[in-house]
Amino acid sequence: MSAPGGARPARPDSRPWWDGAVVYEVYLRSFADSDADGVGDLPGLRRRLDYLVALGVDALWISPCYPSPMADHGYDVADYRDIDPRYGSLADFDALLCQAHAAGLRILLDLVPNHTSSAHPWFRAALADPASPLRARYIFRPPGAHGREPNAWTSVFGGSAWTRDPSGQAYYLHLFDPGQPDLNWFDPQVRAEFEGILTFWLDRGVDGFRIDVAHGLVKDPDRPGPPLGQPETVEVFRRWREICDGYGGRLLVGEMFLHDYDPVRAAGYVGPEKLTETFDFTLTALPFQAAAFRAGIQAALAATAAAGGLPAWVLSNHDLPRHATRYGGGPPGVRRARAATALLLGLPGTVYLYQGEELGLEQADVPPDRRVDPIWTRSHGRELGRDGARTPLPWTTHAPGYGFTTGVPWLPFGRGARAHAVTRQARDAGAPLSFYRTAVALRRQLRPQLGDAVVFLEAPPGVLALWRPLTDGAALLVALNTNPEPARLRLSGPVSPPAAVQVLLTSEPEGAGEAQRAPAHGELVLPGEATVWVRCERPAPSSPDARR
Ligand code: GLC
C-alpha cells in the first residue's frame, strides 16, 4: 500500500509501537490557528509539530476534523472522507501525515461511528422522505402511548434522547445532541460504509483510530434496559481489527463508559482480535489518594492482562475537568497533577496526555456568554459543560492572541495565559513543560528495558510504591506520596536491600535532593505530594510473577 504518509519510524524491540508509548491528544480547535479565524487548524498544527517532537510523544490523536456543522464541535460528522475547510483540506492532512511520520510521530484519527451529523446526506434523505430506505440506517420509531417518546432513554447532553421528525409520525434517536442522530448498527450498509471509511484513511497512512462512544454502537430501543454495551458491538470491532491487520497492524483505542466506567466490562472489547485497548477512566474519577490509585491501577492491570490487551491510562481529556483543577487547583493542584502524571508514565501500556496539561493548564472559568458546549446550552446553563477544558493553548506571552491566533479565539484563554505560555516555560527548568519533557524522554529511554511485570510494595499510608524489573537485573521503583509531608518508604521484598539507588525522576524539582538523601539502610525519603522514579541496583527475583 503506497501511502502518502511516508515511512514509519522503527521500534528497537519487537513489541508494537503503542506498548509503552505516549499519545498526545490534539484538540485541534484550540491548538494553533494559521488563518486568523480563531479556530485551530491543520496548517497550524504542522507549524507547531516541532513542539510535539520536543515533548517526545510517540503519537498524536487528533480530535475530529471532518466537515461538520459543529453542533458538538466536530463530533457531528457530515462527511467522513474529507476535512472541514475551517481545519484545512485533504492535502493539508496528507502533508501533516508526511511531516509527522518523517519526524517519528504517528497519527490517530478520531472516528465517530455512533452517530452522524443531521447534515449527513443519509440523514437528510431519511428526513426528507418518511418512506426512504435510508431511514433504516438510523433509529426511527413511532411515538409511544399518547404520542410520547418511544422509550425513556435520555441524552448524555440532557433531556430526552428522542426528537420528533418533521413528519410528526416518528421520533429519531440521538444519545447526544439532536444534531447527532444515532446510526443503526444492525444495518449491513452502515457496517459496510464504516469499513470503507476505515480503509479510506488507512490507505492515506493513518496509524490508527480513537473510536468515539465505542461501547454504544449496537443498540436496540426495543430491548429493555439502558442503551449501551450490546455484545454485537464486538463483532464490528473484530471486522475492523481484520482490516487493520491487513495494514500491518494499527492501533484501535476505544472510548467506553465515560460516566460509568467498569474495567472488566471494557476489557471485554479488547484483545488480539478486537480493540487494542480502551481508555481506563477509573483514575479520572478518583481523588488524589494513593490507596485509591493503587486499587484502580490493579483493577485495570488485571482486567487488561486477562483480556490479552494493554492498559491505556488517562487523567484528562477534552470532556473532563483538567486534573490539576480536580486535585484542588492552584499551585498545589498543579503539583499533585504532575505527581499523578509521573505515576502514569511509570506504568506499562499506553499513556494518553491531553493538550495543555504539559503547561500546567487548569480548567478555565469561561464566562457564560462565551460558553458554547451543547451540554451548557441543552441544560440551560444548569451544567457548565466542557468548555473550560478546551480553551486555546498560549504559545507566547503576547496578548490578546498569545501566539494561538491573530484573530478572536473561539473560546477565551484561561486565567494566567501569559504565565503558562510555551515560550516562557521553555526557558524555565522548574516549569511543568520541562518536567513533562524529562519524564516522557525517560519513559522512552527505559522502554526497551522494561517488561510488563508490576509488583506493588508494602507502603505506609498515603504511599503507592511499585517496581518493575529492568532487563539488566535492576528494578525501576515508582513511588507516589500523596501525603502533604515527606514519607519514608522501606524498600521491602525484591528491592531490599538495594546495592545502590539512583533517583531518575522526581515530579518536583526541589524534591530530588530529599529523595537522594535516602538513608543507605533500605529506606527512601519521598517528598510530599510527589512521585519519584528510582533505579535500584538489585537483581529482580527470578520469576516476577507478572501483574499483581
Ligand atoms: C465522546 C466525545 C465527546 C462527544 C461525544 C459525542 O464522548 O469525547 O466530546 O461529545 O462522544 O460524540
Side-chain angles (χ1 to χ4, degrees), residues 72 75 115 157 176 210 212-213 255 318-319 386 390:
D72 187 20
Y75 284 96
H115 42 262
F157 292 166
F176 296 90
R210 179 259 187 191
D212 191 58
V213 198
E255 184 224 20
H318 66 286
D319 293 326
R386 304 161 293 182
R390 300 175 172 182

Side-chain angles (χ1 to χ4, degrees), residues 7 11 49 52 54 76 79 89 128 143 169 236 251 266 365 388 470 479-480 488-489 494 497 529 547:
R11 267 250 12 217
L49 221 49
L52 298 166
D76 46 323
D79 179 355
S89 63
Q169 303 304 304
V236 175
L251 174 61
D365 196 7
L470 291 158
L480 161 72
R488 284 174 180 272
L489 174 69
E529 299 191 323
R547 302 153 169 185

Side-chain angles (χ1 to χ4, degrees), residues 30 41 314-315 370 409 460:
S30 291
D41 48 44
V314 52
L315 287 167
R370 296 291 305 272

Side-chain angles (χ1 to χ4, degrees), residues 210-227:
R210 179 259 187 191
I211 302 159
D212 191 58
V213 198
H215 53 299
L217 304 195
V218 185
K219 65 192 88 69
D220 180 355
D222 304 322
R223 287 182 193 170

Side-chain angles (χ1 to χ4, degrees), residues 111-335:
L111 189 68
V112 189
N114 181 67
H115 42 262
T116 68
S117 161
S118 52
H120 190 283
W122 286 4
F123 193 71
R124 282 177 188 269
L127 274 201
D129 174 9
S132 165
L134 292 181
R135 272 168 105 86
R137 298 185 191 176
Y138 294 90
I139 304 179
F140 284 86
R141 288 288 182 283
H146 312 294
R148 283 203 297 265
E149 288 84 1
N151 70 18
W153 287 357
T154 52
S155 154
V156 175
F157 292 166
S160 172
W162 297 94
T163 289
R164 235 181 229 271
D165 85 351
S167 77
Q169 303 304 304
Y171 283 86
Y172 70 89
L173 180 74
H174 53 86
L175 292 182
F176 296 90
D177 192 78
Q180 295 167 295
D182 278 57
L183 285 163
N184 172 19
W185 275 88
F186 287 109
D187 188 312
Q189 310 264 27
V190 170
R191 295 188 186 209
E193 174 69 3
F194 273 85
E195 290 172 14
I197 293 166
L198 231 60
T199 307
F200 175 84
W201 293 105
L202 288 167
D203 282 344
R204 299 196 100 79
V206 303
D207 300 285
F209 300 91
R210 179 259 187 191
I211 302 159
D212 191 58
V213 198
H215 53 299
L217 304 195
V218 185
K219 65 192 88 69
D220 180 355
D222 304 322
R223 287 182 193 170
L228 306 182
Q230 305 283 3
E232 294 90 337
T233 301
V234 173
E235 290 166 20
V236 175
F237 298 149
R238 283 188 201 282
R239 182 69 197 114
W240 291 4
R241 168 55 58 206
E242 275 172 22
I243 293 173
C244 285
D245 284 351
Y247 288 78
R250 292 289 187 270
L251 174 61
L252 292 174
V253 53
E255 184 224 20
M256 310 220 153
F257 315 116
L258 189 53
H259 301 292
D260 180 19
Y261 183 77
D262 172 357
V264 175
R265 218 167 135 207
Y269 294 86
V270 161
E273 291 161 7
K274 301 181 253 176
L275 299 183
T276 320
E277 54 198 27
T278 65
F279 296 116
D280 186 86
F281 287 115
T282 313
L283 303 186
T284 67
L286 298 179
F288 182 71
Q289 213 190 70
F293 279 167
R294 175 173 168 161
I297 290 168
Q298 279 179 310
L301 289 174
T304 49
L310 281 174
W313 310 106
V314 52
L315 287 167
S316 283
N317 68 24
H318 66 286
D319 293 326
L320 296 167
R322 287 186 176 275
H323 62 292
T325 303
R326 295 203 307 269
Y327 299 153
V334 173
R335 176 180 180 116

Side-chain angles (χ1 to χ4, degrees), residues 372-385:
V372 289
D373 184 357
I375 294 187
W376 162 263
T377 38
R378 273 181 70 81
S379 74
H380 305 288
R382 277 190 304 278
E383 287 187 49
L384 288 184

